[in-house]
Amino acid sequence: MSTVADKQTMDFQAEARQLLDLMIHSLYSNKEIFLRELVSNASDACDTLRFEALGKPDLYGDDPDFRIRITFDPEKHTITVSDNGIGMSKEDAVAHLGTIAKSGTQEFLKSLTGDQAKDVRLIGQFGVGFYSSFIVADKVTVVSRKAADSADQGVVWKSDGKGTYSVESVTRPTRGTDVTLHLKKDEKEFLDPYRLRHIIHTYADHIAFPVEMQFEEKDKKDEWETVNRASALWQRPKSEIKDEEYKEFYKHVAHDFEEPLAWLHNRVEGKQSYTTLLYIPGRAPFDLWDRDHPHGLKLYVKRVFIMDDAKHLMPAYLRFVRGLVDSDDLPLNVSRELLQQNKLINSIRSASVKRILNALAKMADKEPEKYATVWTQFGKVIKEGPGEDTVNRDRILKLLRFSSTNSDEQTVSLADYLARMKKDQKYIYYLTSDSLNAAKNSSYLGLFRGKDIEVLLLYDRVDEWMMSHIEEYQDKKFKSIAKGELDLDDLIDEDEQKAREKLASQHTGLVERIKTALNGKIKDVRVSHRLTDAPSCVVLEDHDMSMHLQRMFKSAGHEVPLGKPVLEINIEHPLVLRMEEETDEDRFVDWSQLLLDQAILSEGGELDDPADYVKRLNSLLVDLSDAGSGGRIIVD
């Protein structure tokens, strides 16, 4: 290997330096993980070249057989992991080795807790497994050449993990990558061949490429021995695969350090032949909400890796699912464009989705604590399902969990709600808000709490969109308690209804005065049947956007259609009764506007002129003080 004089020394980004320091000094208690990560990366490099070579067979050159080799040198105190995969150019080395996890790094750093040893599981989620090398090494050297590049286009990357790295061009006769770890003085255990073989058996038995080491016998020093099984785990009979093997393969395919919650291994034969191995993770990755990022399943054709593809193999609302599909019937040169129109892919996707949903339903029924973990980590994503997957909507609805006026925790299923419904109750009542606390304290809940009628409390950003795609569940329609007029037949008896109607008829004059005072700002004013403590609330039409959602859209710079709300007043509230006595029309207008503004604010809306609201409120308070009123006015 000869070096061309173009060496450059570069700084890691600031976040990368912090991350390396944490990894080297704090995070790993299980140091042997570094070898699993390097072998996994080498396997990915071989997979990538095998796919690229489908259309460019010349990339193989005279070396068509893939392998991963591990060598060690006790005298130099080094371990080297080599592969003959796709390799890297100089630009690749800077992009992949000089920048750690890019935007994810900062989130990773924020997520660390005081007990950093527990946070090892986060590393795999941020694509930084290569840097685990620095846990056992005080220097790492990477020598690589990309397939199809000329011999003089190799690259050597070096770093001591302390803030800088260097890259320079080298002459390298073969494609692939060598990663050499210069071990720290106290890491001699990794120079023991039996220790290395044990690690490979533990973590790399499932790798589909041979992992080789040299024989220890003197007369066989130049011969190589395959240490792992070197066969595709998913092609083996389920009865022959141990749980630990499934778990280790998940860590490889998902680049995760934590074990999966469950897995589904299926072989389909007949007109269509394919194998699926699907995993449900135990923790959400940092990029779960990046819908455009490739997620989830890998596609293989006859054991040949083809592509990562979530769009065609698994819907977006199940993008947390990891694993693979291996088809015997697709052509090896299948493209993404062909996948879009392929009936086999549609069939595989449909069957895989049903398997996952059925597995989740079974988990929710038989292992509720485990399902609670799924819901905590992925519930907001699953909520996208009813709007995206009409075929499986009923299955998805059974998986949904909510908070309610009966429970602060998101543990209430729709089946639970139906089981607790009042005998003559017509609707499944719900309320959307921007937080659980705001929902629990909403003025809309007054009547429902008084009648002991359970209301689902929805406060995730996706909830309002989700509810726009759900009309009913098991013949019970959903009804927002903050929209439209309430059908009170299932809430109050006939005598109470007549009493409320009589009370409203006695105050028609006040209603008309408020309507005149707020002319142009509201659609109507009416006496409320839903309020018990608050003086007023705003009610939207059934299909209008909620107040808090309007605020979110405005803050994001979106145009929001301006629909006029209905103002409902609580005729028994002291503030409203005080207004009925007001003779000064200007003051009456101020009181009316105050009722409207307070109602908008209490439900998460946004005032057009907050300063005007404060000025009006202060003026009214000063007037009351000057009048020396001894009466107590409650503003809720």
Side-chain angles (χ1 to χ4, degrees):
M1 179 180 71
S2 60
T3 302
V4 180
D6 66 346
K7 182 175 181 179
Q8 294 175 277
T9 299
M10 304 179 183
D11 291 328
F12 285 114
Q13 61 191 104
E15 297 93 335
R17 290 197 296 270
Q18 297 175 53
L19 182 55
L20 282 169
D21 185 68
L22 284 169
M23 294 180 69
I24 294 167
H25 297 107
S26 306
L27 288 178
Y28 279 101
S29 58
N30 187 7
K31 295 179 180 180
E32 65 190 33
I33 293 296
F34 81 91
L35 191 56
R36 181 183 77 184
E37 289 305 298
L38 295 182
V39 171
S40 184
N41 289 346
S43 172
D44 288 346
C46 294
D47 258 338
T48 301
L49 177 57
R50 186 160 63 173
F51 172 60
E52 294 288 340
L54 291 175
K56 301 175 182 178
D58 291 345
L59 291 176
Y60 285 127
D62 56 0
D63 188 13
D65 298 321
F66 292 107
R67 63 190 171 274
I68 300 165
R69 286 179 170 174
I70 299 174
T71 57
F72 62 96
D73 189 329
E75 293 182 4
K76 294 181 179 179
H77 219 59
T78 61
I79 294 177
T80 300
V81 179
S82 304
D83 68 73
N84 60 343
I86 191 67
M88 290 183 289
S89 64
K90 187 175 181 179
E91 292 74 18
D92 293 334
V94 172
H96 299 316
L97 303 182
T99 304
I100 299 179
K102 299 185 179 178
S103 62
T105 305
Q106 194 63 258
E107 293 300 317
F108 170 81
L109 293 170
K110 290 178 183 177
S111 66
L112 291 179
T113 66
D115 187 0
Q116 292 168 339
K118 293 180 180 178
D119 291 315
V120 59
R121 60 181 174 265
L122 294 171
I123 292 175
Q125 300 176 29
F126 287 85
V128 294
F130 165 78
Y131 298 93
S132 62
S133 302
F134 289 104
I135 297 163
V136 298
D138 50 25
K139 179 183 176 183
V140 177
T141 301
V142 180
V143 182
S144 188
R145 196 198 91 191
K146 198 165 188 175
D149 281 356
S150 60
D152 61 358
Q153 289 181 291
V155 61
V156 58
W157 180 98
K158 297 180 180 179
S159 178
D160 59 7
K162 295 180 179 178
T164 63
Y165 64 92
S166 66
V167 288
E168 56 187 312
S169 298
V170 297
T171 298
R172 178 181 167 92
T174 59
R175 71 166 192 266
T177 302
D178 300 332
V179 181
T180 300
L181 279 59
H182 302 263
L183 297 176
K184 298 174 182 177
K185 291 181 180 180
D186 56 351
E187 304 297 349
K188 293 181 180 179
E189 63 176 294
F190 298 111
L191 295 172
D192 180 346
Y194 298 101
R195 178 84 167 98
L196 292 175
R197 288 168 188 267
H198 174 73
I199 295 173
I200 294 168
H201 280 306
T202 302
Y203 295 120
D205 234 21
H206 55 270
I207 298 296
F209 303 101
V211 180
E212 301 177 345
M213 289 184 65
Q214 288 177 309
F215 281 95
E216 290 305 301
E217 293 84 349
K218 291 183 179 180
D219 59 338
K220 294 184 178 180
K221 276 290 185 180
D222 295 330
E223 296 182 36
W224 294 89
E225 173 190 10
T226 298
V227 184
N228 66 329
R229 293 197 188 193
S231 63
L233 175 138
W234 62 92
Q235 290 297 323
R236 290 159 50 193
K238 289 189 286 186
S239 59
E240 297 179 7
I241 305 174
K242 299 177 181 178
D243 285 356
E244 288 305 315
E245 292 181 279
Y246 277 120
K247 292 175 183 177
E248 283 306 320
F249 184 72
Y250 164 76
K251 293 174 183 178
H252 165 69
V253 76
H255 295 285
D256 195 354
F257 277 72
E258 195 165 312
E259 293 182 354
L261 287 176
W263 57 86
L264 308 171
H265 188 184
N266 294 280
R267 173 70 182 171
V268 176
E269 295 179 328
K271 290 183 178 179
Q272 301 169 345
S273 298
Y274 63 91
T275 299
T276 58
L277 179 51
L278 310 175
Y279 288 95
I280 299 172
R283 182 173 292 271
F286 77 98
D287 58 353
L288 181 66
W289 290 101
D290 183 357
R291 289 170 57 94
D292 297 325
H293 183 77
H295 293 90
L297 305 188
K298 297 177 182 292
L299 175 63
Y300 287 77
V301 175
K302 299 173 183 175
R303 272 66 66 201
V304 177
F305 172 72
I306 302 298
M307 66 183 75
D308 288 300
D309 195 300
K311 182 177 180 181
H312 305 300
L313 295 174
M314 194 62 66
Y317 74 92
L318 292 177
R319 58 185 176 272
F320 56 89
V321 175
R322 296 292 185 260
L324 59 86
V325 172
D326 190 348
S327 171
D328 292 338
D329 302 313
L330 287 169
L332 278 171
N333 61 347
V334 65
S335 66
R336 292 183 185 273
E337 289 71 28
L338 288 175
L339 282 180
Q340 295 176 7
Q341 304 158 2
N342 192 284
K343 292 182 179 180
L344 174 58
I345 286 294
N346 292 335
S347 175
I348 293 173
R349 172 184 167 123
S350 176
S352 298
V353 168
K354 288 179 180 177
R355 287 192 184 101
I356 289 293
L357 295 179
N358 289 340
L360 290 174
K362 183 178 179 180
M363 185 188 296
D365 182 42
K366 304 295 184 181
E367 301 175 283
E369 291 185 3
K370 184 181 286 188
Y371 185 71
T373 299
V374 172
W375 188 254
T376 298
Q377 296 296 321
F378 309 115
K380 294 178 184 178
V381 176
I382 294 173
K383 285 180 177 181
E384 297 173 9
E388 295 183 355
D389 188 353
T390 56
V391 173
N392 291 297
R393 183 174 292 163
D394 288 343
R395 286 188 174 91
I396 300 168
L397 291 182
K398 293 177 181 178
L399 298 175
L400 301 181
R401 296 295 183 268
F402 305 93
S403 298
S404 80
T405 47
N406 283 19
S407 171
D408 285 355
E409 301 296 326
Q410 288 200 3
T411 57
V412 179
S413 68
L414 292 175
D416 295 333
Y417 185 95
L418 292 183
R420 293 195 289 261
M421 283 178 65
K422 299 292 183 181
K423 182 179 179 181
D424 297 322
Q425 186 177 331
K426 294 180 180 179
Y427 301 103
I428 299 173
Y429 291 105
Y430 71 93
L431 173 67
T432 57
S433 189
D434 57 355
S435 71
L436 175 60
N437 193 52
K440 289 195 301 181
N441 294 295
S442 173
S443 58
Y444 297 118
L445 292 173
L447 175 65
F448 295 87
R449 281 209 170 100
K451 299 294 182 182
D452 192 27
I453 295 175
E454 187 173 13
V455 178
L456 301 178
L457 305 178
L458 285 65
Y459 50 89
D460 290 329
R461 289 192 172 192
V462 69
D463 285 336
E464 183 116 8
W465 178 86
M466 175 186 71
M467 295 310 297
S468 70
H469 293 86
I470 303 175
E471 293 185 359
E472 62 180 40
Y473 177 72
Q474 293 188 5
D475 298 325
K476 290 289 184 180
K477 291 187 178 294
F478 289 90
K479 173 67 176 174
S480 170
I481 66 170
K483 295 181 179 180
E485 291 196 57
L486 288 180
D487 181 351
L488 300 178
D489 291 346
D490 59 345
L491 302 180
I492 61 177
D493 58 34
E494 186 177 351
D495 291 340
E496 187 176 354
Q497 174 79 340
K498 289 180 179 179
R500 287 176 177 271
E501 292 173 354
K502 181 178 180 181
L503 184 65
S505 65
Q506 293 172 349
H507 296 276
T508 53
L510 176 62
V511 170
E512 290 301 320
R513 286 182 70 191
I514 296 175
K515 190 184 300 185
T516 301
L518 296 175
N519 184 36
K521 298 179 180 179
I522 53 165
K523 185 175 182 179
D524 196 8
V525 178
R526 59 181 177 233
V527 174
S528 180
H529 298 297
R530 70 188 91 206
L531 297 175
T532 56
D533 298 319
S536 62
C537 68
V538 286
V539 177
L540 303 169
E541 296 296 338
D542 287 327
H543 300 292
D544 284 347
M545 190 183 298
S546 68
M547 288 289 178
H548 79 91
L549 194 59
Q550 289 182 33
R551 190 191 70 234
M552 286 168 48
F553 271 80
K554 286 180 181 178
S555 64
H558 296 290
E559 290 286 337
V560 178
L562 299 176
K564 294 179 182 179
V566 172
L567 179 67
E568 289 194 357
I569 59 172
N570 179 1
I571 204 64
E572 297 178 298
H573 194 279
L575 182 57
V576 178
L577 293 174
R578 163 67 177 79
M579 287 178 60
E580 201 162 23
E581 299 171 1
E582 181 62 66
T583 57
D584 185 324
E585 286 304 315
D586 289 336
R587 281 291 170 232
F588 187 86
V589 170
D590 285 340
W591 281 114
S592 299
Q593 186 65 50
L594 183 69
L595 283 184
L596 177 60
D597 289 347
Q598 283 188 341
I600 292 173
L601 289 173
S602 67
E603 298 310 324
E606 187 177 68
L607 300 180
D608 292 332
D609 191 350
D612 183 62
Y613 165 75
V614 173
K615 181 179 178 181
R616 180 179 294 107
L617 178 61
N618 290 339
S619 176
L620 290 172
L621 291 174
V622 169
D623 282 354
L624 289 173
S625 177
D626 290 344
S629 173
R632 185 178 177 217
I633 296 179
I634 302 172
V635 181
D636 194 347

